[in-house]
Amino acid sequence: QPCWSEYLTTCIEQNTVLKCTCPISECCAQPTAAFIRSILSSEEVVAKYEKAVLRSYVECCSNLTWCTNPQGCDQILCKDGLGYGEACSKCSWVSCFSCSFPEAHYPASCNHMSHMTCAKCNHGFCWHCLKPWRPTHKDYYNCSAMVSKAARQEKRFQDYNERCTFHHQAREFAVSLRNRVSSISEMPEIRTLTFVLDTCKVLEQARKVLAYSCVYSYYSQDTERVDIMEEQIESLELHTNTL
């Protein structure tokens, strides 16, 4: 039993316990969950094993995922509806079910948020950092597209990028304000602050939609649809700035 305990503990620490087999080279039998729990005496090690089993189960289920809150959250989300974004019941962070981007980004699509391709030279690059998607491509900025067109595209990108960055910063301000208001505990009429907290939440959501609308508008090829959307964005931005 001590040998098995040491062997299983090592597998758990190395995160290989779910694939481990009998230590005897001729035997390919895998230890059962009941056997592992009966061998291990450390509650801490057992807890790590349980987490490994849970992690494996979530990764195997297409309708389950972990909350992607960058601040850290151990909540499991279940896909529901269209999957544009799922709000965590624990921390309220809204995650995207369809890609690895850390938060829901509607109306921008998942393709908008990651792998981009140059229409002229077919070079792939990352939208997040603008670095080449394939290391073999030497210089994206030496693309053979016309300079005048490239200049217009660069100016257009800068305009949308500045708008997107502004809305993300404004959203962070709303989050910071809500946290500061929430920390006030000495005021006797704390309920009077409910309106301020609700307003901050509305601002957070509005700024998020405005930011990702910039991404959608920049990459969309449907001019008519973008024109209609730009009118709606302008109205939302006006009311958001007023709020």
Side-chain angles (χ1 to χ4, degrees), residues 84-187:
Y84 288 134
E86 304 299 322
C88 176
S89 60
K90 184 176 181 179
C91 68
S92 299
W93 183 262
V94 184
S95 304
C96 177
F97 244 96
S98 303
C99 71
S100 59
F101 197 75
E103 69 174 347
H105 42 74
Y106 184 80
S109 70
C110 295
N111 287 335
H112 290 155
M113 307 311 299
S114 54
H115 189 185
M116 296 294 109
T117 303
C118 176
K120 183 68 177 180
C121 68
N122 292 322
H123 164 61
F125 62 97
C126 174
W127 185 88
H128 304 293
C129 63
L130 296 184
K131 292 182 179 179
W133 195 268
R134 298 185 299 272
T136 53
H137 189 94
K138 294 185 181 298
D139 190 359
Y140 164 69
Y141 300 100
N142 285 333
C143 172
S144 59
M146 294 176 59
V147 175
S148 58
K149 183 178 180 180
R152 289 197 301 271
Q153 282 295 95
E154 183 178 359
K155 178 63 169 63
R156 183 169 177 266
F157 172 80
Q158 289 177 348
D159 291 343
Y160 276 103
N161 186 52
E162 287 177 2
R163 286 170 55 188
C164 183
T165 300
F166 169 77
H167 291 307
H168 275 306
Q169 291 174 342
R171 177 187 173 192
E172 291 176 0
F173 170 78
V175 172
S176 175
L177 179 60
R178 177 164 61 88
N179 291 336
R180 293 202 305 271
V181 173
S182 300
S183 66
I184 300 176
S185 58
E186 298 179 356
M187 293 187 64

Side-chain angles (χ1 to χ4, degrees), residues 20-236:
C20 74
T21 58
C22 176
I24 300 177
S25 58
E26 294 81 9
C27 181
C28 60
Q30 289 186 301
T32 64
F35 176 77
I36 293 175
R37 293 189 181 96
S38 67
I39 292 295
L40 297 175
S41 58
S42 170
E43 294 184 1
E44 182 181 353
V45 176
V46 172
K48 289 183 178 180
Y49 169 69
E50 299 287 355
K51 287 183 178 180
V53 173
L54 179 60
R55 184 168 58 251
S56 175
Y57 175 75
V58 172
E59 292 174 354
C60 290
C61 295
S62 60
N63 66 325
L64 297 178
T65 189
W66 297 99
C67 175
T68 56
N69 190 333
Q71 301 300 321
C73 181
D74 58 358
Q75 189 76 350
I76 299 173
L77 306 181
C78 180
K79 184 175 182 179
D80 186 23
L82 297 176
Y84 288 134
E86 304 299 322
C88 176
S89 60
K90 184 176 181 179
C91 68
S92 299
W93 183 262
V94 184
S95 304
C96 177
F97 244 96
S98 303
C99 71
S100 59
F101 197 75
E103 69 174 347
H105 42 74
Y106 184 80
S109 70
C110 295
N111 287 335
H112 290 155
M113 307 311 299
S114 54
H115 189 185
M116 296 294 109
T117 303
C118 176
K120 183 68 177 180
C121 68
N122 292 322
H123 164 61
F125 62 97
C126 174
W127 185 88
H128 304 293
C129 63
L130 296 184
K131 292 182 179 179
W133 195 268
R134 298 185 299 272
T136 53
H137 189 94
K138 294 185 181 298
D139 190 359
Y140 164 69
Y141 300 100
N142 285 333
C143 172
S144 59
M146 294 176 59
V147 175
S148 58
K149 183 178 180 180
R152 289 197 301 271
Q153 282 295 95
E154 183 178 359
K155 178 63 169 63
R156 183 169 177 266
F157 172 80
Q158 289 177 348
D159 291 343
Y160 276 103
N161 186 52
E162 287 177 2
R163 286 170 55 188
C164 183
T165 300
F166 169 77
H167 291 307
H168 275 306
Q169 291 174 342
R171 177 187 173 192
E172 291 176 0
F173 170 78
V175 172
S176 175
L177 179 60
R178 177 164 61 88
N179 291 336
R180 293 202 305 271
V181 173
S182 300
S183 66
I184 300 176
S185 58
E186 298 179 356
M187 293 187 64
E189 297 294 333
I190 192 65
R191 286 183 301 231
T192 61
L193 297 178
T194 301
F195 172 75
V196 180
L197 294 174
D198 291 341
T199 302
C200 290
K201 292 179 181 179
V202 172
L203 282 174
E204 290 175 42
Q205 182 62 27
R207 291 298 183 187
K208 179 180 177 181
V209 171
L210 287 169
Y212 291 120
S213 294
C214 293
V215 179
Y216 175 87
S217 297
Y218 177 77
Y219 288 110
S220 179
Q221 302 296 320
D222 190 341
T223 306
E224 183 177 352
R225 187 173 182 178
V226 169
D227 289 341
I228 297 175
M229 186 172 177
E230 286 287 354
E231 294 179 3
Q232 298 174 335
I233 292 174
E234 184 178 353
S235 177
L236 175 60

